[in-house]
């Protein structure tokens, strides 16, 4: 399973699979202000916490801007789950891929996001 985020092209390369990725920087913080506020509602002791680190990283975006999700037919047993929307789409991607891996069912929801669109 390749779910290596911005390093997904490197992992794909290990199985001789081309996976073109965009190089778009984004800012990542350890505890975002909104997340921090929401967490403080549940755990008041976090009130004295602070953001400990902010850095610029490349976002995990395949070259065409859309997720790459599913089996790669040319590499048996290899699956991709690469998406900039991993936080929001993670639960549904996980469910659909689990069904595909365990039962061989290819859900139509993933039809436009299949990895074979990046075939060599």
């Amino acid at each position: 399973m390749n779910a290596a985020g911005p390093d997904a092209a490197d992992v794909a390369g290990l199985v001789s699979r081309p996976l073109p990725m965009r190089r778009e920087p984004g800012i990542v913080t350890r505890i975002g202000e909104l997340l921090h506020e929401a967490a403080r509602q549940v755990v008041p002791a976090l009130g004295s916490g602070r953001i400990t680190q902010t850095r610029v990283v490349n976002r995990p975006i395949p070259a065409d801007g859309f997720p790459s999700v599913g089996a790669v037919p040319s590499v048996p047993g290899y699956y991709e789950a690469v998406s900039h929307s991993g936080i929001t789409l993670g639960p549904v991607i996980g469910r659909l891929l689990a069904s595909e891996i365990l039962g061989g069912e290819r859900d139509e929801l993933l039809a436009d996001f299949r990895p074979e669109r990046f075939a060599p």
Side-chain angles (χ1 to χ4, degrees), residues 31 33 36-51:
I31 300 175
E33 293 296 333
H36 188 210
E37 181 60 35
R40 286 193 334 222
Q41 300 296 321
V42 178
V43 183
L46 294 175
S48 62
R50 61 184 175 81
I51 295 174

Side-chain angles (χ1 to χ4, degrees), residues 1 3 6 16 21 36 51 57 71 75 80 83 89 95 100 112:
M1 172 66 69
S16 300
M21 299 287 289
H36 188 210
I51 295 174
V57 298
V75 185
E80 289 179 352
S83 173
L89 294 178
R95 182 179 55 79
E100 185 171 328
D112 292 335

